[in-house]
PDB file of all heavy atoms in Angstrom:
ATOM      1  N   SER A   1       0.838  -1.189   0.000  1.00 93.00           N
ATOM      2  CA  SER A   1       0.000   0.000   0.000  1.00 93.00           C
ATOM      3  C   SER A   1       0.875   1.241   0.000  1.00 93.00           C
ATOM      4  O   SER A   1       2.040   1.201   0.393  1.00 93.00           O
ATOM      5  CB  SER A   1      -0.951   0.023   1.197  1.00 93.00           C
ATOM      6  OG  SER A   1      -0.238   0.141   2.415  1.00 93.00           O
ATOM      7  N   ILE A   2       0.289   2.355  -0.435  1.00 95.00           N
ATOM      8  CA  ILE A   2       0.971   3.635  -0.492  1.00 95.00           C
ATOM      9  C   ILE A   2       0.184   4.648   0.320  1.00 95.00           C
ATOM     10  O   ILE A   2      -1.021   4.816   0.105  1.00 95.00           O
ATOM     11  CB  ILE A   2       1.122   4.144  -1.933  1.00 95.00           C
ATOM     12  CG1 ILE A   2       1.866   3.115  -2.784  1.00 95.00           C
ATOM     13  CG2 ILE A   2       1.835   5.493  -1.967  1.00 95.00           C
ATOM     14  CD1 ILE A   2       1.984   3.494  -4.241  1.00 95.00           C
ATOM     15  N   GLY A   3       0.859   5.304   1.226  1.00 97.00           N
ATOM     16  CA  GLY A   3       0.223   6.333   2.028  1.00 97.00           C
ATOM     17  C   GLY A   3       0.456   7.706   1.445  1.00 97.00           C
ATOM     18  O   GLY A   3       0.315   7.922   0.243  1.00 97.00           O
ATOM     19  N   THR A   4       0.826   8.648   2.294  1.00 97.00           N
ATOM     20  CA  THR A   4       1.082  10.008   1.851  1.00 97.00           C
ATOM     21  C   THR A   4       2.280  10.058   0.909  1.00 97.00           C
ATOM     22  O   THR A   4       3.286   9.381   1.129  1.00 97.00           O
ATOM     23  CB  THR A   4       1.331  10.922   3.056  1.00 97.00           C
ATOM     24  OG1 THR A   4       0.150  10.962   3.859  1.00 97.00           O
ATOM     25  CG2 THR A   4       1.678  12.335   2.623  1.00 97.00           C
ATOM     26  N   MET A   5       2.176  10.875  -0.138  1.00 98.00           N
ATOM     27  CA  MET A   5       3.258  11.078  -1.083  1.00 98.00           C
ATOM     28  C   MET A   5       3.578  12.565  -1.132  1.00 98.00           C
ATOM     29  O   MET A   5       2.682  13.406  -1.004  1.00 98.00           O
ATOM     30  CB  MET A   5       2.887  10.560  -2.472  1.00 98.00           C
ATOM     31  CG  MET A   5       2.436   9.101  -2.469  1.00 98.00           C
ATOM     32  SD  MET A   5       2.088   8.426  -4.114  1.00 98.00           S
ATOM     33  CE  MET A   5       3.755   8.034  -4.658  1.00 98.00           C
ATOM     34  N   ASN A   6       4.856  12.876  -1.310  1.00 98.00           N
ATOM     35  CA  ASN A   6       5.315  14.255  -1.215  1.00 98.00           C
ATOM     36  C   ASN A   6       6.321  14.577  -2.313  1.00 98.00           C
ATOM     37  O   ASN A   6       6.979  13.694  -2.864  1.00 98.00           O
ATOM     38  CB  ASN A   6       6.015  14.518   0.123  1.00 98.00           C
ATOM     39  CG  ASN A   6       5.215  14.041   1.310  1.00 98.00           C
ATOM     40  OD1 ASN A   6       4.250  14.688   1.711  1.00 98.00           O
ATOM     41  ND2 ASN A   6       5.611  12.912   1.890  1.00 98.00           N
ATOM     42  N   TRP A   7       6.429  15.868  -2.597  1.00 98.00           N
ATOM     43  CA  TRP A   7       7.524  16.404  -3.388  1.00 98.00           C
ATOM     44  C   TRP A   7       8.299  17.401  -2.538  1.00 98.00           C
ATOM     45  O   TRP A   7       7.706  18.294  -1.930  1.00 98.00           O
ATOM     46  CB  TRP A   7       7.023  17.105  -4.655  1.00 98.00           C
ATOM     47  CG  TRP A   7       6.582  16.166  -5.724  1.00 98.00           C
ATOM     48  CD1 TRP A   7       5.305  15.794  -6.023  1.00 98.00           C
ATOM     49  CD2 TRP A   7       7.420  15.476  -6.657  1.00 98.00           C
ATOM     50  NE1 TRP A   7       5.288  14.920  -7.072  1.00 98.00           N
ATOM     51  CE2 TRP A   7       6.579  14.711  -7.486  1.00 98.00           C
ATOM     52  CE3 TRP A   7       8.800  15.438  -6.877  1.00 98.00           C
ATOM     53  CZ2 TRP A   7       7.070  13.911  -8.522  1.00 98.00           C
ATOM     54  CZ3 TRP A   7       9.287  14.640  -7.893  1.00 98.00           C
ATOM     55  CH2 TRP A   7       8.430  13.890  -8.706  1.00 98.00           C
ATOM     56  N   TYR A   8       9.613  17.223  -2.504  1.00 98.00           N
ATOM     57  CA  TYR A   8      10.534  18.145  -1.866  1.00 98.00           C
ATOM     58  C   TYR A   8      11.448  18.736  -2.928  1.00 98.00           C
ATOM     59  O   TYR A   8      11.566  18.202  -4.034  1.00 98.00           O
ATOM     60  CB  TYR A   8      11.398  17.439  -0.828  1.00 98.00           C
ATOM     61  CG  TYR A   8      10.711  17.054   0.466  1.00 98.00           C
ATOM     62  CD1 TYR A   8       9.882  15.944   0.536  1.00 98.00           C
ATOM     63  CD2 TYR A   8      10.922  17.793   1.625  1.00 98.00           C
ATOM     64  CE1 TYR A   8       9.269  15.576   1.718  1.00 98.00           C
ATOM     65  CE2 TYR A   8      10.316  17.435   2.820  1.00 98.00           C
ATOM     66  CZ  TYR A   8       9.496  16.325   2.859  1.00 98.00           C
ATOM     67  OH  TYR A   8       8.902  15.968   4.047  1.00 98.00           O
ATOM     68  N   ARG A   9      12.118  19.834  -2.583  1.00 98.00           N
ATOM     69  CA  ARG A   9      13.146  20.371  -3.459  1.00 98.00           C
ATOM     70  C   ARG A   9      14.283  20.929  -2.615  1.00 98.00           C
ATOM     71  O   ARG A   9      14.091  21.307  -1.464  1.00 98.00           O
ATOM     72  CB  ARG A   9      12.603  21.441  -4.398  1.00 98.00           C
ATOM     73  CG  ARG A   9      12.148  22.721  -3.723  1.00 98.00           C
ATOM     74  CD  ARG A   9      11.504  23.656  -4.746  1.00 98.00           C
ATOM     75  NE  ARG A   9      11.075  24.914  -4.157  1.00 98.00           N
ATOM     76  CZ  ARG A   9      10.355  25.827  -4.795  1.00 98.00           C
ATOM     77  NH1 ARG A   9       9.981  25.620  -6.059  1.00 98.00           N
ATOM     78  NH2 ARG A   9      10.013  26.951  -4.176  1.00 98.00           N
ATOM     79  N   GLN A  10      15.463  20.970  -3.221  1.00 98.00           N
ATOM     80  CA  GLN A  10      16.630  21.452  -2.503  1.00 98.00           C
ATOM     81  C   GLN A  10      17.565  22.193  -3.442  1.00 98.00           C
ATOM     82  O   GLN A  10      17.875  21.712  -4.534  1.00 98.00           O
ATOM     83  CB  GLN A  10      17.376  20.301  -1.836  1.00 98.00           C
ATOM     84  CG  GLN A  10      18.498  20.738  -0.906  1.00 98.00           C
ATOM     85  CD  GLN A  10      18.989  19.612  -0.022  1.00 98.00           C
ATOM     86  OE1 GLN A  10      18.914  18.443  -0.399  1.00 98.00           O
ATOM     87  NE2 GLN A  10      19.492  19.948   1.152  1.00 98.00           N
ATOM     88  N   VAL A  11      18.003  23.364  -3.004  1.00 97.00           N
ATOM     89  CA  VAL A  11      18.988  24.173  -3.700  1.00 97.00           C
ATOM     90  C   VAL A  11      20.312  24.018  -2.958  1.00 97.00           C
ATOM     91  O   VAL A  11      20.323  23.964  -1.722  1.00 97.00           O
ATOM     92  CB  VAL A  11      18.559  25.653  -3.736  1.00 97.00           C
ATOM     93  CG1 VAL A  11      19.617  26.517  -4.392  1.00 97.00           C
ATOM     94  CG2 VAL A  11      17.224  25.800  -4.450  1.00 97.00           C
ATOM     95  N   PRO A  12      21.434  23.951  -3.668  1.00 95.00           N
ATOM     96  CA  PRO A  12      22.718  23.847  -2.977  1.00 95.00           C
ATOM     97  C   PRO A  12      22.893  24.923  -1.925  1.00 95.00           C
ATOM     98  O   PRO A  12      22.647  26.107  -2.186  1.00 95.00           O
ATOM     99  CB  PRO A  12      23.739  24.010  -4.110  1.00 95.00           C
ATOM    100  CG  PRO A  12      23.029  23.476  -5.311  1.00 95.00           C
ATOM    101  CD  PRO A  12      21.593  23.898  -5.130  1.00 95.00           C
ATOM    102  N   GLY A  13      23.285  24.514  -0.725  1.00 96.00           N
ATOM    103  CA  GLY A  13      23.472  25.443   0.371  1.00 96.00           C
ATOM    104  C   GLY A  13      22.222  25.774   1.151  1.00 96.00           C
ATOM    105  O   GLY A  13      22.299  26.498   2.147  1.00 96.00           O
ATOM    106  N   LYS A  14      21.072  25.261   0.712  1.00 97.00           N
ATOM    107  CA  LYS A  14      19.806  25.531   1.385  1.00 97.00           C
ATOM    108  C   LYS A  14      19.218  24.238   1.948  1.00 97.00           C
ATOM    109  O   LYS A  14      19.580  23.132   1.538  1.00 97.00           O
ATOM    110  CB  LYS A  14      18.806  26.174   0.419  1.00 97.00           C
ATOM    111  CG  LYS A  14      19.279  27.474  -0.219  1.00 97.00           C
ATOM    112  CD  LYS A  14      19.325  28.601   0.788  1.00 97.00           C
ATOM    113  CE  LYS A  14      19.750  29.902   0.109  1.00 97.00           C
ATOM    114  NZ  LYS A  14      18.760  30.353  -0.880  1.00 97.00           N
ATOM    115  N   GLU A  15      18.304  24.404   2.889  1.00 97.00           N
ATOM    116  CA  GLU A  15      17.616  23.257   3.462  1.00 97.00           C
ATOM    117  C   GLU A  15      16.618  22.685   2.469  1.00 97.00           C
ATOM    118  O   GLU A  15      16.067  23.391   1.628  1.00 97.00           O
ATOM    119  CB  GLU A  15      16.894  23.658   4.743  1.00 97.00           C
ATOM    120  CG  GLU A  15      17.802  24.087   5.873  1.00 97.00           C
ATOM    121  CD  GLU A  15      17.039  24.402   7.143  1.00 97.00           C
ATOM    122  OE1 GLU A  15      15.796  24.499   7.088  1.00 97.00           O
ATOM    123  OE2 GLU A  15      17.683  24.544   8.197  1.00 97.00           O
ATOM    124  N   ARG A  16      16.398  21.381   2.574  1.00 97.00           N
ATOM    125  CA  ARG A  16      15.393  20.740   1.745  1.00 97.00           C
ATOM    126  C   ARG A  16      14.007  21.242   2.152  1.00 97.00           C
ATOM    127  O   ARG A  16      13.675  21.293   3.340  1.00 97.00           O
ATOM    128  CB  ARG A  16      15.485  19.226   1.880  1.00 97.00           C
ATOM    129  CG  ARG A  16      14.612  18.465   0.893  1.00 97.00           C
ATOM    130  CD  ARG A  16      14.958  16.980   0.855  1.00 97.00           C
ATOM    131  NE  ARG A  16      16.309  16.750   0.365  1.00 97.00           N
ATOM    132  CZ  ARG A  16      16.814  15.548   0.103  1.00 97.00           C
ATOM    133  NH1 ARG A  16      16.080  14.465   0.295  1.00 97.00           N
ATOM    134  NH2 ARG A  16      18.060  15.431  -0.334  1.00 97.00           N
ATOM    135  N   GLU A  17      13.194  21.581   1.168  1.00 98.00           N
ATOM    136  CA  GLU A  17      11.908  22.215   1.379  1.00 98.00           C
ATOM    137  C   GLU A  17      10.778  21.307   0.914  1.00 98.00           C
ATOM    138  O   GLU A  17      10.823  20.756  -0.183  1.00 98.00           O
ATOM    139  CB  GLU A  17      11.848  23.546   0.606  1.00 98.00           C
ATOM    140  CG  GLU A  17      10.497  24.238   0.615  1.00 98.00           C
ATOM    141  CD  GLU A  17      10.415  25.394  -0.360  1.00 98.00           C
ATOM    142  OE1 GLU A  17      11.249  25.450  -1.298  1.00 98.00           O
ATOM    143  OE2 GLU A  17       9.531  26.251  -0.196  1.00 98.00           O
ATOM    144  N   LEU A  18       9.757  21.173   1.742  1.00 98.00           N
ATOM    145  CA  LEU A  18       8.556  20.450   1.334  1.00 98.00           C
ATOM    146  C   LEU A  18       7.743  21.336   0.398  1.00 98.00           C
ATOM    147  O   LEU A  18       7.308  22.420   0.781  1.00 98.00           O
ATOM    148  CB  LEU A  18       7.722  20.057   2.552  1.00 98.00           C
ATOM    149  CG  LEU A  18       6.390  19.361   2.271  1.00 98.00           C
ATOM    150  CD1 LEU A  18       6.601  18.042   1.539  1.00 98.00           C
ATOM    151  CD2 LEU A  18       5.625  19.126   3.574  1.00 98.00           C
ATOM    152  N   VAL A  19       7.530  20.862  -0.814  1.00 98.00           N
ATOM    153  CA  VAL A  19       6.828  21.627  -1.838  1.00 98.00           C
ATOM    154  C   VAL A  19       5.336  21.322  -1.839  1.00 98.00           C
ATOM    155  O   VAL A  19       4.501  22.227  -1.897  1.00 98.00           O
ATOM    156  CB  VAL A  19       7.428  21.349  -3.228  1.00 98.00           C
ATOM    157  CG1 VAL A  19       6.622  22.049  -4.320  1.00 98.00           C
ATOM    158  CG2 VAL A  19       8.889  21.789  -3.269  1.00 98.00           C
ATOM    159  N   ALA A  20       5.007  20.038  -1.808  1.00 98.00           N
ATOM    160  CA  ALA A  20       3.609  19.628  -1.891  1.00 98.00           C
ATOM    161  C   ALA A  20       3.438  18.249  -1.294  1.00 98.00           C
ATOM    162  O   ALA A  20       4.368  17.432  -1.308  1.00 98.00           O
ATOM    163  CB  ALA A  20       3.120  19.627  -3.342  1.00 98.00           C
ATOM    164  N   THR A  21       2.254  17.978  -0.778  1.00 98.00           N
ATOM    165  CA  THR A  21       1.959  16.683  -0.199  1.00 98.00           C
ATOM    166  C   THR A  21       0.538  16.276  -0.570  1.00 98.00           C
ATOM    167  O   THR A  21      -0.339  17.129  -0.739  1.00 98.00           O
ATOM    168  CB  THR A  21       2.132  16.714   1.339  1.00 98.00           C
ATOM    169  OG1 THR A  21       1.932  15.409   1.880  1.00 98.00           O
ATOM    170  CG2 THR A  21       1.149  17.679   1.980  1.00 98.00           C
ATOM    171  N   ILE A  22       0.325  14.977  -0.703  1.00 98.00           N
ATOM    172  CA  ILE A  22      -1.002  14.456  -0.998  1.00 98.00           C
ATOM    173  C   ILE A  22      -1.199  13.166  -0.213  1.00 98.00           C
ATOM    174  O   ILE A  22      -0.359  12.270  -0.234  1.00 98.00           O
ATOM    175  CB  ILE A  22      -1.206  14.238  -2.518  1.00 98.00           C
ATOM    176  CG1 ILE A  22      -2.633  13.750  -2.810  1.00 98.00           C
ATOM    177  CG2 ILE A  22      -0.169  13.282  -3.094  1.00 98.00           C
ATOM    178  CD1 ILE A  22      -2.991  13.812  -4.293  1.00 98.00           C
ATOM    179  N   THR A  23      -2.305  13.074   0.504  1.00 98.00           N
ATOM    180  CA  THR A  23      -2.597  11.895   1.297  1.00 98.00           C
ATOM    181  C   THR A  23      -3.231  10.819   0.438  1.00 98.00           C
ATOM    182  O   THR A  23      -3.593  11.036  -0.720  1.00 98.00           O
ATOM    183  CB  THR A  23      -3.539  12.233   2.459  1.00 98.00           C
ATOM    184  OG1 THR A  23      -4.840  12.533   1.940  1.00 98.00           O
ATOM    185  CG2 THR A  23      -3.021  13.414   3.260  1.00 98.00           C
ATOM    186  N   SER A  24      -3.384   9.636   1.014  1.00 95.00           N
ATOM    187  CA  SER A  24      -4.021   8.543   0.295  1.00 95.00           C
ATOM    188  C   SER A  24      -5.476   8.856  -0.037  1.00 95.00           C
ATOM    189  O   SER A  24      -6.027   8.294  -0.990  1.00 95.00           O
ATOM    190  CB  SER A  24      -3.937   7.251   1.103  1.00 95.00           C
ATOM    191  OG  SER A  24      -4.559   7.392   2.369  1.00 95.00           O
ATOM    192  N   ALA A  25      -6.087   9.745   0.737  1.00 95.00           N
ATOM    193  CA  ALA A  25      -7.461  10.168   0.480  1.00 95.00           C
ATOM    194  C   ALA A  25      -7.557  11.306  -0.522  1.00 95.00           C
ATOM    195  O   ALA A  25      -8.664  11.705  -0.893  1.00 95.00           O
ATOM    196  CB  ALA A  25      -8.136  10.572   1.786  1.00 95.00           C
ATOM    197  N   GLY A  26      -6.406  11.857  -0.940  1.00 96.00           N
ATOM    198  CA  GLY A  26      -6.404  12.904  -1.939  1.00 96.00           C
ATOM    199  C   GLY A  26      -6.319  14.319  -1.406  1.00 96.00           C
ATOM    200  O   GLY A  26      -6.384  15.269  -2.196  1.00 96.00           O
ATOM    201  N   SER A  27      -6.171  14.496  -0.103  1.00 98.00           N
ATOM    202  CA  SER A  27      -6.012  15.833   0.456  1.00 98.00           C
ATOM    203  C   SER A  27      -4.635  16.381   0.108  1.00 98.00           C
ATOM    204  O   SER A  27      -3.638  15.664   0.197  1.00 98.00           O
ATOM    205  CB  SER A  27      -6.189  15.812   1.964  1.00 98.00           C
ATOM    206  OG  SER A  27      -7.492  15.392   2.313  1.00 98.00           O
ATOM    207  N   THR A  28      -4.571  17.650  -0.271  1.00 98.00           N
ATOM    208  CA  THR A  28      -3.318  18.258  -0.719  1.00 98.00           C
ATOM    209  C   THR A  28      -2.963  19.484   0.098  1.00 98.00           C
ATOM    210  O   THR A  28      -3.833  20.176   0.628  1.00 98.00           O
ATOM    211  CB  THR A  28      -3.395  18.659  -2.201  1.00 98.00           C
ATOM    212  OG1 THR A  28      -4.468  19.596  -2.383  1.00 98.00           O
ATOM    213  CG2 THR A  28      -3.648  17.443  -3.074  1.00 98.00           C
TER     214      THR A  28
END
């Protein structure tokens, strides 16, 4: 099974940032 799925992004020298998330129920 697959639960929550996310996209992160990271720029050199910066912290990794959560861009978007979607739950198994489709909440974003």
Side-chain angles (χ1 to χ4, degrees):
S1 66
I2 303 176
T4 297
M5 306 184 81
N6 311 283
W7 285 99
Y8 286 78
R9 67 185 181 188
Q10 188 166 28
V11 177
K14 302 289 182 65
E15 295 183 348
R16 189 168 296 187
E17 173 191 19
L18 177 62
V19 175
T21 184
I22 183 167
T23 70
S24 59
S27 298
T28 59

